[in-house]
Structures are given as structure tokens and as C-alpha cells.
Amino acid sequence: MTTQTGPETRITRKFAQLKAEGRAGLVTFLTAGDPTPQLSEDIILGIAEAGADLIEIGMPFSDPMADGPAIQASSLRALKAGMTLPKALGIVRSFRKRDDNTPIVLMGYYNPIYIYGVDRFLADAREAGVDGLIVVDLPPEEEGELCLPAIAAGLNFIYLTAPTTDDARLPKVVRHASGFVYYVSITGITGTRSADAADVAASVARIRKYTDLPVGVGFGIRTPDQAAAIAKVADAAVVGSALVDVIAENRDAAGAPLPGTRDKVLDLVKALAGGVRGARS
Amino acid sequence: MSKLNTYREGPDETGHFGIYGGRFVAETLMPLILEVDKAWKKAKDDAAFWDEFNRYMKHYVGRPSPLYLAERLTAEFGGAKVYFKRDELNHTGAHKINNTIGQILLARRMGKKRIIAETGAGQHGVATATVCALFGLPCVVYMGETDVRRQRPNVVRMKMLGAEIVPVTAGTGTLKDAMNEALRDWVANVEDTFYIIGTVAGPHPYPAMVRDFQCVIGNEVREQMMEAEGRLPDTCVAAIGGGSNAMGLFHPFLDDEGVRLIGVEAAGHGIETGEHCASLNGGRPGVLHGNRTYLLQTEDGQILDGHSISAGLDYPGIGPEHSWLRDTGRVDYVYATDDEALAAFQLCTRKEGIIPALEPSHALAHVAKIAPDLPKDHIICMNMCGRGDKDVDAVAGYLGMD
């Protein structure tokens, strides 16, 4: 069992609060800049009020190899609309002017960070109000690249664990994890299939043998009912592709966003939050 | 950088060649990558594994491939003696089969029941479909939609061999997207599937493993050149996309100081136009497909599409060991444009009666640049890594032939 030793952030405070309230949290994922930089910012600014407990913001990448069609398309839309890593940090800064409590996690792939410069990125992310990082293609084997510098800079580095992460490997994965542990509930890419809640419960229990960090579960959670089922057995449910799909579906023939897109995304967030909050009552 | 005692020891235990290489993959894949690494370490030290590999090289692939003195081209250039290593005579028409035989033997040892691969020009796809037919394993090949259209003969061959071809529309529909899609398949089918990567790139141990299989090329050249000339070549030249044929030729010569090694990248319409595939000459280090290496990318770290007349060189990255060899200065990396490769293609066809693939046509284009100014006792060995049957329609189109 590893005791939590990473930096204290809005993430650690939020999970402490959720524990006191006796409920699980809702983590929402959206890609920064999707479908346009402005609309993306508008949606994210309203997402905490709609019920998101933690906000995961995707930094778009041209080659998102762990993502399914929905998030791939979302990244391409954002890049086409001119989104960049500095602009994604700009969205975080705007959010922080209104809300200094809701944790923000940046999620992405390593190359754009590497090109921006690791030290510069960590300084700018922290200054913007980022609390944690999920970088899909940095397993513990590459922890020297970003994980250890991030911890030194006061950010949580959130590790993914998967069904393939066996008991021999789990201690290595959670060793430098902080904030929470993200359990990828299926062997596969985002938004493709859904895990059985009973299997997830067993896997979360297995992870808890090795860490006292909160466990968030993602990949394949689309509906309020699914979110509620996960909220019964884990500390947080992560929803991404289903939200991104709302953005994809609400565009005209030329790809421009339709009026009302923001409200439709936030309505789904409200419904998901309802599922998560009512799960254990 | 100070001179090393050997250039042949890499990678280190964690898969790094200097700062290049590594294992930049999602956690779901990581246990699998470690399993491949473990199995490869064991096989590599097992004489029985290499006996089996060598048996297939000899009786199925047709190795050793000849070392051929191209007399008419030598006379045409009027300088150095030009030899071709005839890997285009291998079964399936390119060097790719050396690697697919090796990897499928490993997959069988690991008890894997399903094979996946990515392909650009289709040569690696054909070589993979071939060994899957040979060993009776189902085969899924990911191929960019653009490449499916421009490499139709190879698509048909793969289908006849029983492979399922999945056209990839994600991203921009070329080789890098095919590789992304193959990795996504692997993440979803970790238990039973083995991913046969076609070049010296990807997460460790792939760059080293593919190199070790392709080293059969350079090892044969050493012996054959000793027999033909009583000494080693002065210069070795090979085309570079991901870099597997070049690594196979170069690696056995890395510690022979007197042997100059030249990799030829595809410069497309010219480096200055931005429409090229020359990662080492026109890119910078980044992280993609499991390794750190030179990549074509934007200022923001988004990966760019390459351009080349040759689909087999159309990849925005390069094997990490090449990146390291570039930085150490042991290998020179130059480039040739589409037009130069087309000219070399025609010259070789007319002068030697050998229709080269567009990939080695780039290598020959560079030989044509340097051979005339070298003395007559200078020996160049160029890897003729593939035959041009697959390219004749495309070339006829470029040349306006009916």
C-alpha cells in the first residue's frame, strides 16, 4: 500500500470533500478548442455549475493513438479551428477568474508538451491554474520525462491503470501517482465499448490493495445510469466521448456549430451529475 | 561527441539510443511490450531460434541475395565501382520479408493467434500476409486510404494471400495513421494479437529487434564483398523511410571506420518546399509511435504528413537508432527528390535491365551524384531493397506513357 505523498492540489482537496459528502465525483472530458476556441471556452466556463466535480481538458494532438473515433475527430476539429497548447492554457486562465475551487486536469499526449518545453510547460500550467496532468503515452517506464518534474512543480501526475496492469505491475504504476488513479475500464480505445460494473468493482478493489489514492474510472461511460453504476463502486466516473459526441452532432452541413450546442452539452453534464450524486442514496 | 569504442551496443536496457528510442505507449499496451521484450531476449540468445530463422531465409526467402557488380552503370558514372545488394530478388520482392519471418517466428513462440500490421507502399503488408499464409494465422493489415488507392497491385496481393485490409480514413489516411490504427487494434486485442511492425521504429524492443533481423543484409555483404574484392566496401548507400533496409545494411559496418555509410531520405518536391519526408534533414526530435526520434512536425508539436513519390518512404518519422547515428556523426544522411529518383529509376531500368522500386531509386540517385567524382578503385555498395513491379503504373503516369 502506497500512502499519498504527492502535492496537495485542488484535486486532493476535492476528493477529501467528496469523501466527507459520502459521494463519488463526476469528471468531464472535453477537448480544448472543440468545436471552436470560443464555444469551447463558453462550455467549459459553465461546466462546473452544471455539476462537473473535476474538469479534464484535452490538449489536442494530431495522432491520438489511445483514442477512439469520437475524440480523434474532436482533436482534429480543434486543431483545424486553430487550437494550440498556449490557447488551451488560456481557457484554464479564463476559468480560474470565475472559479478557484474546481480542479482542472490537462490530458493529452507527450509530443506537444515536449516541443513546448517541459519546464516552461509546468511553470505555465501551474500559473494558469492547472492541478494535474494525464499524459497517455508516458507510462512509469518514462517517469523521468514529465511525472517527476511535475510533482516537483506542485502538480499531480495521474497515472492510468488498465485491465492489463497485473498485480506484479500495479505497485510500479501507483508509486509516483498522485491526485487520483485513473482506471481504464476496458482494454481498448476511448468511446468504443463499456465495462461491466461488477468487473469494475473487482478491479477497483484490486487497485485499492496498492494505494489509498481515490480511483476514478473512465472509458465507455456514456449515460447517467452507467455513471451512477460506476459511482457506486469508484471515487469518480469520467465521461468524455458522450459529451464530445453532442458537439459533433450539433453542427451544420459545413461543420459550423449550431445554436444551443452549449446548453445541450451542459444538459448532459447535469443529467450525468444527477446520476453520480444519486448513486449511493 | 567523443568517439565511441563501438556503435553496435545499443540500445540500453530501457531501449534508448542516446536520448532516442524508449517506450512511449499507453499503459494498456505496456505489459504487452514488456512481454514482447522478454520473449525477444530469450529468442535472441537461443541458437534454435536462429537455426529456424536461417532455414526460412535460405529455402523460403531465397537468401543469400546476390551481390551484383553493375558494370554498365559503373561505366556510365565513370568513377567508383557500383555494386547492388540484390534484396529485390527476395521472395515477395523486397527486404521486408526478412523481418516478417523473424517476427512471426517470435509470435508463434509466444503463442499469439492473430497478426496485425501497418503498411504504406504495401510491401510490408504483403510480406506480413505472406508469412501469415505460410503459418496459417489470420492477418489484418491497416493501410491508409490514400495508399490503398495508389498501391492497388499490393492490395490485391494481400487479399489473395488471405489478409483482411482495413483502409484507414482517420487523420490523413497515410502510413502514420495506419500505424495509429494498428496500435489501437492492439490495445483492444492484447491477449491474442501480435503486432508485426515493419520498420526499425516503435517502442522498444521493436527498433532493435527489426534491426537484428535485417542485419542479415549487411552480414552477407561483408562476406560477399570479401569474396568479390578481397576487402570491405568504401561506401554503403541505402534509402531511408523508417530505415529498416538501411539499418540492416549499415549496422554490421558501424565499427569499420573505413566504411562510409550514407542514408538517403526522400526530399519529395524539395526540402525547401516543405513537401518531403526527410525527418533527419527537415525535422526535429519529438515523440510519436512509442519512441523519441526526429519527426516532421509543426512549431506546436503536431505531426505533419510527409510527401514522397514513393509511398514506402512516406513516413514523418525515422527509426530512433538512425537519429542517434545522425547526432554522433557516424552515418551521413542526405536526400534525393522525386525527380532525381524518377531519373535514377529510368537509368537503372535501361542500363541494367533491373526495374528498381522507387525507394532504392532514391539511393541510386545519390550514387549517381557521388560515383563520377570517386576514383575507379572506390567500391560503393547500394542496397537494391525492392523491385519496381508495384511502381510501374505510377511511374508510367508520371512519365506520361500510355
Side-chain angles (χ1 to χ4, degrees), chain B residues 179-223:
Chain B
M179 195 152 177
N180 288 333
E181 215 52 33
L183 285 163
R184 289 178 187 123
D185 177 311
W186 207 19
V187 167
N189 298 288
V190 285
E191 293 299 328
D192 66 340
T193 298
F194 189 96
Y195 180 14
I196 298 189
I197 294 182
T199 192
V200 285
H204 176 67
Y206 280 94
M209 176 169 67
V210 176
R211 173 198 71 198
D212 291 348
F213 292 136
Q214 293 294 1
C215 273
V216 65
I217 301 171
N219 287 331
E220 286 177 6
V221 168
R222 283 187 82 92
E223 275 187 32

Side-chain angles (χ1 to χ4, degrees), chain B residues 221-222 231-237 249-250 252-262 330-332 378-379 381:
Chain B
V221 168
R222 283 187 82 92
R231 65 181 183 92
L232 297 181
D234 299 295
T235 302
C236 291
V237 183
L249 175 63
F250 295 168
F253 292 104
L254 285 178
D255 289 341
D256 297 292
E257 240 178 277
V259 182
R260 189 176 174 207
L261 305 171
I262 305 176
R330 175 63 187 95
V331 179
D332 292 324
H378 187 103
I379 300 170
C381 177

